[in-house]
Amino acid sequence: MKHILILFAILSLNLAALDLVAQLPSLQDKLQGKDRVEEIMEIVDAHYAEIASGKRIKTDEGNYKHWARWGLYMSARTDGQGRLVDVDRHIRRAYDNYVPLYRSSAGNWIPRGPTAISGTNGSAVGIGRVDRIAFHPTDVNTLYIGTPAGGLFKSINGGTSWTGLTDNIPSTAISGIVVSHDNPNTIYILTGDGDASNGGFIVSAGYWRPSAGVFVSYDAGINWYSTSPLPIVGSYAGYQLIQDPNNAYVLLAATDQGVYRSDNAGDSWTQVLSGRTYEIKFKPGSSSYVYATQSGEFHRSTDGGIEWEEITDFDYPLQSGRVALAVANASGSRVYLMSGWAANGGTFGGFY
């Protein structure tokens, strides 16, 4: 009987301790209404100190190192009182008031590497992500690449050397590149890092770079001008930008808010398809047939991207996975789809 009473007392104490932990305010509750980085990090430090001392149990609130990185990153993105500000809005305002200055070309920069991918556990050390590429329609030595944070780069010697073109636009996240078939000096770019926009730590910690719209250059990338804004309220991301193969005035932009179409070279945009759209392509040589992919879905337009229908007549274990798209130039009626399967742990969903 004595042992039973002791066991009951221990259980009661443990339950009381758990109940006390449950009553402690969460980190999210503590941070409500806080907008100064220094104060936020003081609260975070104290919160994780409680976890380390055993005063509270660790919940799904992220790792402390993520908060430390966030604090360092955001410490340079505050006003005079240390409060968080809308950096994108300030960048846009600065761009609107920007007066071009002449820059010296006398700088002597020499690449020092690394020039190869290395690392452990599949990591790439020292190599930035380059995920967009476009080519001059007639000059095989001129090509363009887009990066998710560093902007648009141009090479006129087949990739031996590169020149940055977009240091002075509001967003250096390049998600779409069009070199006009009508005039290769006319280049359109869609901004906003769509590949990192679908949730996760990059978004929650403020590292994500949203879109500032579509920009155009009429002198092969020397000067840039903003086209009309896409009719989207709030932040959004870009995925791909394409041009009608026969009509240089028709552009289609795939974003996380749907597909937007312009028939006047970007002077105005209209939403023609809703939903996060990863890829979009014209049938080779056709102004009528356009293809687009969303999560587990394949869509087709037969009128140049104005009206869309969802095509579902293929094997369908796609679930919510991202779908990649390719169209064969040699056989214009052949379309290829490669699917991920996010609902099943990121496994391969099939090739169609």
Side-chain angles (χ1 to χ4, degrees), residues 215-229:
F215 290 78
V216 60
S217 172
Y218 301 108
D219 50 19
I222 298 174
N223 296 292
W224 293 93
Y225 309 92
S226 177
T227 70
S228 178

Side-chain angles (χ1 to χ4, degrees), residues 175-256:
S175 54
I177 311 170
V178 165
V179 182
S180 178
H181 56 73
D182 183 58
N183 181 353
N185 287 326
T186 299
I187 305 168
Y188 298 92
I189 53 174
L190 172 65
T191 59
D193 183 14
D195 294 323
S197 69
N198 197 6
F201 175 71
I202 291 179
V203 174
S204 62
Y207 295 116
W208 173 58
R209 295 164 179 85
S211 180
V214 176
F215 290 78
V216 60
S217 172
Y218 301 108
D219 50 19
I222 298 174
N223 296 292
W224 293 93
Y225 309 92
S226 177
T227 70
S228 178
L230 273 62
I232 301 176
V233 177
S235 298
Y236 66 96
Y239 280 101
Q240 204 166 41
L241 182 69
I242 61 172
Q243 182 184 50
D244 185 318
N246 302 303
N247 185 346
Y249 287 94
V250 174
L251 300 168
L252 289 164
T255 76
D256 65 341

Side-chain angles (χ1 to χ4, degrees), residues 3 34 59 109 129 150 160-161 197-198 341:
H3 293 298
K34 308 299 183 185
T59 57
W109 291 88
R129 177 156 55 95
T160 302
S161 61
S197 69
N198 197 6
W341 195 4

Side-chain angles (χ1 to χ4, degrees), residues 52-281:
S53 67
K55 184 178 179 181
R56 69 162 61 239
I57 58 174
K58 188 177 187 304
T59 57
D60 186 19
E61 295 170 338
N63 295 322
Y64 177 74
K65 68 177 182 179
H66 292 161
W67 277 104
R69 290 172 180 169
W70 179 90
L72 179 62
Y73 183 81
M74 288 302 182
S75 64
R77 290 159 175 80
T78 62
D79 63 12
Q81 286 72 46
R83 294 189 297 263
L84 293 169
V85 297
D86 187 341
V87 176
D88 297 318
R89 181 170 59 85
H90 285 278
I91 292 175
R92 182 73 201 198
R93 181 186 299 167
Y95 174 76
D96 290 339
N97 297 324
Y98 171 71
V99 178
L101 301 174
Y102 291 103
R103 292 188 297 173
S104 170
S105 60
N108 182 28
W109 291 88
I110 300 172
R112 293 302 188 191
T115 57
I117 293 177
S118 61
T120 58
N121 299 323
S123 64
V125 177
I127 303 297
R129 177 156 55 95
V130 177
D131 47 17
R132 300 293 185 269
I133 187 167
F135 301 90
H136 191 286
T138 57
D139 182 0
V140 297
N141 290 314
T142 298
L143 59 156
Y144 302 84
I145 58 173
T147 67
L152 182 74
F153 291 82
K154 178 182 181 181
S155 174
I156 59 174
N157 52 20
T160 302
S161 61
W162 296 89
T163 301
L165 301 178
T166 54
D167 291 345
N168 295 314
I169 67 172
S171 174
T172 54
I174 309 300
S175 54
I177 311 170
V178 165
V179 182
S180 178
H181 56 73
D182 183 58
N183 181 353
N185 287 326
T186 299
I187 305 168
Y188 298 92
I189 53 174
L190 172 65
T191 59
D193 183 14
D195 294 323
S197 69
N198 197 6
F201 175 71
I202 291 179
V203 174
S204 62
Y207 295 116
W208 173 58
R209 295 164 179 85
S211 180
V214 176
F215 290 78
V216 60
S217 172
Y218 301 108
D219 50 19
I222 298 174
N223 296 292
W224 293 93
Y225 309 92
S226 177
T227 70
S228 178
L230 273 62
I232 301 176
V233 177
S235 298
Y236 66 96
Y239 280 101
Q240 204 166 41
L241 182 69
I242 61 172
Q243 182 184 50
D244 185 318
N246 302 303
N247 185 346
Y249 287 94
V250 174
L251 300 168
L252 289 164
T255 76
D256 65 341
Q257 303 296 314
V259 174
Y260 292 81
R261 185 180 188 274
S262 174
D263 59 7
N264 50 22
D267 285 345
S268 62
W269 298 88
T270 303
Q271 187 182 46
V272 292
L273 181 66
S274 62
R276 185 183 294 268
T277 304
Y278 296 109
E279 297 199 31
I280 185 168
K281 286 181 173 60

